[in-house]
Amino acid sequence: MSSIRASRTRLLTAAATVVVAAFSLTACNDGEGVRNEGSSAGASSTASASGSSSQEDAKTGAAGSDSATDVPAASGNGKADTGKPGTSGKKGVTCQGSNTKTVAAPLNRPVNHMLLTVTNTGSSTCYLYGYPAVRFGEAQSVPPVIEDSKPQAVVTLAPGESGYSSVNLSAADGSGTNGHTEKSLAVHFQGRTADEDVPSAAHPSLPAKGAYIDDSLKVTYWQQSMDDAISW
């Protein structure tokens, strides 16, 4: 009988031990779960902070984009687009007597030719449109232009730069008619359109002996280079 009691006691003790061990194991698992939730909460907090930071960055970026629209558009060379690189940023104007200096110089070659040199003396880019309307003396009309001399683009002069046109004064072979000598010259400039008023002409000096002209008188279009001007 005592043997049975001893066996029952051992069984109860063993069962109690199993229950205690199981309870301890459950407690450990719950502890690890709490720690994992803490890590998850930290990650969630970090993600939330990161999200807020990203939103702030997005707002900052948007503000930066708004301010960038105030920057002037740049040309292909990286400078502000002003009509021509190297200018002060002022809008281009039409070249005329008031913002240029014109010099008329006889040429040895081609013979019976005169070179007109127009230099921009203003502070803005100016444009030489078309060709010079030259008037020698009291002439009531202007000579025709050599159509084949028309350049591909409008001659553009930054401050200090020069444009050119050559004047064929008389026939080299003497075939011209009504030859005579004139001692004054007026150079009128053209506008971008026929309606544009360009009131200021240039009055370059002629040689003391004057300029001999005849009915073969003609001019070239304005050219960007001297070589192009005197090739006609």
Side-chain angles (χ1 to χ4, degrees):
M1 188 72 176
S2 60
S3 176
I4 294 173
R5 289 178 179 173
S7 297
R8 184 179 297 173
T9 299
R10 286 195 295 270
L11 288 174
L12 291 174
T13 301
T17 301
V18 171
V19 170
V20 171
F23 180 79
S24 297
L25 181 59
T26 302
C28 289
N29 287 338
D30 289 343
E32 289 177 355
V34 171
R35 285 196 295 272
N36 288 337
E37 289 176 358
S39 299
S40 176
S44 176
S45 177
T46 302
S48 176
S50 176
S52 298
S53 176
S54 298
Q55 291 177 357
E56 291 300 323
D57 291 343
K59 291 179 182 178
T60 302
S65 298
D66 290 341
S67 62
T69 59
D70 295 332
V71 179
S75 59
N77 62 2
K79 297 182 180 180
D81 189 6
T82 60
K84 182 164 185 173
T87 64
S88 61
K90 296 181 181 179
K91 187 177 181 180
V93 297
T94 299
C95 296
Q96 56 181 307
S98 61
N99 58 12
T100 61
K101 178 182 179 180
T102 302
V103 175
L107 295 173
N108 292 326
R109 293 184 181 180
V111 295
N112 301 342
H113 279 63
M114 175 179 288
L115 179 68
L116 297 179
T117 302
V118 174
T119 302
N120 182 356
T121 59
S123 59
S124 301
T125 294
C126 75
Y127 303 100
L128 281 171
Y129 295 107
Y131 56 91
V134 299
R135 293 182 185 273
F136 285 91
E138 300 298 324
Q140 299 300 307
S141 61
V142 298
V145 66
I146 302 173
E147 288 295 340
D148 289 343
S149 68
K150 188 173 184 178
Q152 294 183 351
V154 174
V155 174
T156 304
L157 304 181
E161 291 185 341
S162 299
Y164 309 88
S165 172
S166 65
V167 183
N168 188 335
L169 300 171
S170 59
D173 59 5
S175 61
T177 58
N178 298 319
H180 62 285
T181 299
E182 293 289 356
K183 294 192 174 183
S184 66
L185 171 64
V187 179
H188 296 267
F189 298 85
Q190 299 185 34
R192 183 176 182 179
T193 65
D195 295 333
E196 182 180 348
D197 182 29
V198 186
S200 181
H203 300 273
S205 299
L206 293 177
K209 65 179 182 179
Y212 180 83
I213 61 175
D214 62 25
D215 288 346
S216 64
L217 181 67
K218 52 185 173 290
V219 300
T220 67
Y221 282 91
W222 291 114
Q223 307 292 329
Q224 198 75 53
S225 75
M226 183 188 302
D227 289 342
D228 288 340
I230 65 177
S231 65
W232 300 94

